[in-house]
């Protein structure tokens, strides 16, 4: 059975705050470790009241320090927002503190709106230089050479697996050219998934970092005691998408009984298209849905995410998903 991992955005729910979100994140990471998830990734977003993972490297350190075996990483760091040297130093530090446990996923988007991207100062000058920035960053992780004018300290010679993230053919092509593992954002932008996977696997060039292609796919999984309850829990994610598209991002809302009354027909089509890669239901439905997704797309790993309002229900959802993984593994 392929590995399962978790993507967490450190959600800040209505009636809560960032401090509680961070406590929930660490609690969920510890649960994930016990349940046998391979990785626990956090993603960089800015100016979004419902997402507390803006200082991604800091939060990765918090989670890695509170766990012992699970890999912890960025899914991802939006590289155009940062100088490659600073990213190398931050993740060189993390990998020195927690050897063999830190991943660095790199994205090209700003992870925010245009005014905030301008406030970050780098994005609009750096997005087109993304391939060059990736190469520069990879170079900082190589062992330093005599006379090298700039080196990452710490970072040079430190083992930090680097992934490329994407939701289009651009990232797939670059990951294939550089011989890097690839994570596709099918959990919110699945349109180009099949084409991107095919391109990545066809054009992959082995590198010192990776000998054969390795693709991870994002999948929304919301599980509960019944299909109806899982569908109700999923309305939190659906509302969040609608609010974002309406230009009103806010705290993560509680689930509602009637999502049809909340969205317009065009919004419904938009959300259903964006969240097409979703498995929502009870234990049996989730097991069948995950098995079908794996059979169709043949990922090397799954990155599960669940934007569930109540922390206890979110924990339970990942418990059900892990049990489905174990049953599928036993059946193979």
């Amino acid at each position: 059975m392929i590995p399962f991992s978790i993507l967490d955005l450190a959600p800040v729910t209505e009636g809560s705050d960032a401090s509680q979100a961070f406590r929930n994140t660490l609690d969920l990471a510890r649960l994930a470790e016990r349940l046998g998830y391979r990785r626990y990734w956090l993603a960089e977003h800015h100016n979004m009241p419902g997402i507390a993972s803006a200082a991604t490297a800091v939060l990765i350190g918090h989670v890695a320090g509170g766990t012992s075996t699970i890999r912890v990483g960025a899914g991802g760091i939006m590289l155009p927002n940062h100088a490659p040297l600073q990213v190398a130093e931050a993740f060189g530090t993390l990998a020195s503190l927690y050897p063999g446990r830190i991943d660095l996923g790199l994205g090209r988007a700003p992870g925010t709106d245009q005014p905030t991207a301008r406030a970050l100062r780098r994005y609009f000058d750096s997005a087109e230089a993304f391939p060059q920035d990736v190469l520069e960053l990879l170079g900082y992780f190589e062992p330093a050479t005599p006379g090298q004018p700039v080196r990452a300290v710490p970072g040079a010679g430190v083992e930090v697996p680097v992934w490329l993230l994407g939701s289009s053919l651009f990232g797939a092509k670059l990951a294939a050219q550089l011989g890097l593992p690839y994570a596709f954002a099918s959990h919110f932008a699945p349109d180009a998934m099949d084409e991107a996977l095919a391109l990545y696997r066809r054009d992959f060039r082995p590198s010192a970092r990776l000998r054969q292609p390795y693709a991870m796919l994002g999948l929304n999984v919301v599980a509960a005691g019944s299909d109806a309850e899982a569908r109700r829990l999923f309305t939190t994610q659906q509302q969040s998408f609608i609010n974002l598209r309406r230009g009103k991002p806010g705290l993560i809302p509680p689930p509602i009984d009637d999502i049809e009354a909340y969205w317009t027909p065009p919004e419904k089509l938009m959300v259903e298209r964006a969240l097409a890669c979703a498995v929502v239901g009870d234990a049996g439905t989730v097991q069948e849905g995950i098995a079908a997704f794996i059979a169709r797309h043949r990922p090397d790993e799954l990155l599960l995410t669940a934007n569930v309002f109540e922390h206890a229900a979110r924990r339970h959802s990942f418990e059900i998903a892990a049990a489905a993984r174990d049953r599928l593994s036993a059946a193979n």
Side-chain angles (χ1 to χ4, degrees):
M1 189 59 193
I2 64 172
F4 284 17
S5 295
I6 291 178
L7 174 65
D8 180 17
L9 302 183
V12 184
T13 57
E14 291 182 10
S16 186
D17 57 21
S19 294
Q20 184 60 54
F22 297 146
R23 288 192 288 271
N24 291 346
T25 282
L26 181 56
D27 180 68
L28 183 60
R30 287 170 170 165
L31 175 67
E33 186 171 76
R34 293 196 297 273
L35 293 174
Y37 284 92
R38 175 168 289 186
R39 310 173 203 279
Y40 195 93
W41 278 11
L42 296 140
E44 177 185 350
H45 292 274
H46 300 279
N47 197 33
M48 299 186 71
I51 297 177
S53 53
T56 317
V58 177
L59 192 53
I60 289 170
H62 173 64
V63 172
T67 53
S68 58
T69 58
I70 194 169
R71 298 193 66 90
V72 188
I77 292 293
M78 302 299 109
L79 187 55
N81 295 338
H82 309 276
L85 176 61
Q86 292 173 313
V87 176
E89 290 170 339
F91 279 80
T93 299
L94 287 167
S96 297
L97 288 167
Y98 309 105
R101 295 184 55 210
I102 301 299
D103 297 325
L104 172 55
L106 300 173
R108 186 170 63 118
T112 189
D113 53 77
Q114 289 190 0
T116 308
R118 285 191 291 269
L120 290 166
R121 288 180 169 82
R122 282 188 49 85
Y123 179 76
F124 286 100
D125 295 329
S126 304
E128 298 304 317
F130 181 73
Q132 291 75 26
D133 283 350
V134 172
L135 288 172
E136 180 183 345
L137 176 55
L138 292 173
Y140 288 130
F141 288 131
E142 295 297 321
T145 58
Q148 182 175 328
V150 179
R151 64 182 67 186
V153 183
V158 177
E159 182 183 351
V160 180
V162 175
W163 294 64
L164 289 190
L165 317 181
S167 59
S168 69
L169 302 186
F170 180 92
K173 182 177 180 180
L174 185 60
Q177 289 176 342
L178 299 181
L180 296 175
Y182 180 55
F184 190 86
S186 36
H187 58 294
F188 74 89
D191 287 354
M193 174 176 55
D194 291 332
E195 190 176 359
L197 276 179
L199 185 155
Y200 171 67
R201 288 166 172 159
R202 183 193 70 216
D203 295 346
F204 181 85
R205 301 175 185 174
S207 69
R209 285 180 168 267
L210 189 66
R211 304 309 300 169
Q212 59 187 17
Y214 193 95
M216 179 160 60
L217 297 181
L219 181 65
N220 297 283
V221 175
V222 176
S226 68
D227 286 353
E229 177 58 16
R231 287 193 296 269
R232 180 177 178 274
L233 295 180
F234 193 49
T235 63
T236 287
Q237 176 77 333
Q238 293 168 323
Q239 291 176 81
S240 295
F241 261 72
I242 294 166
N243 295 343
L244 183 62
R245 296 306 188 274
R246 289 174 178 174
K248 299 177 181 179
L251 301 180
I252 303 302
I256 54 178
D257 294 327
D258 185 11
I259 189 64
E260 298 296 333
Y262 192 82
W263 55 25
T264 66
E267 287 172 339
K268 178 179 180 179
L269 289 174
M270 177 274 296
V271 172
E272 289 182 343
R273 181 172 178 174
L275 301 180
C277 291
V279 177
V280 180
D282 65 10
T285 300
V286 164
Q287 181 174 334
E288 292 174 6
I290 290 175
F293 186 84
I294 293 172
R296 177 180 176 183
H297 302 291
R298 298 295 178 185
D300 298 292
E301 190 169 336
L302 282 184
L303 186 65
L304 307 187
T305 188
N307 195 355
V308 175
F309 180 78
E310 293 183 1
H311 183 58
R314 192 166 181 240
R315 283 174 52 99
H316 188 47
S317 180
F318 282 112
E319 288 173 337
I320 293 173
R325 174 204 61 204
D326 294 344
R327 290 193 297 273
L328 290 170
S329 179
N332 287 339

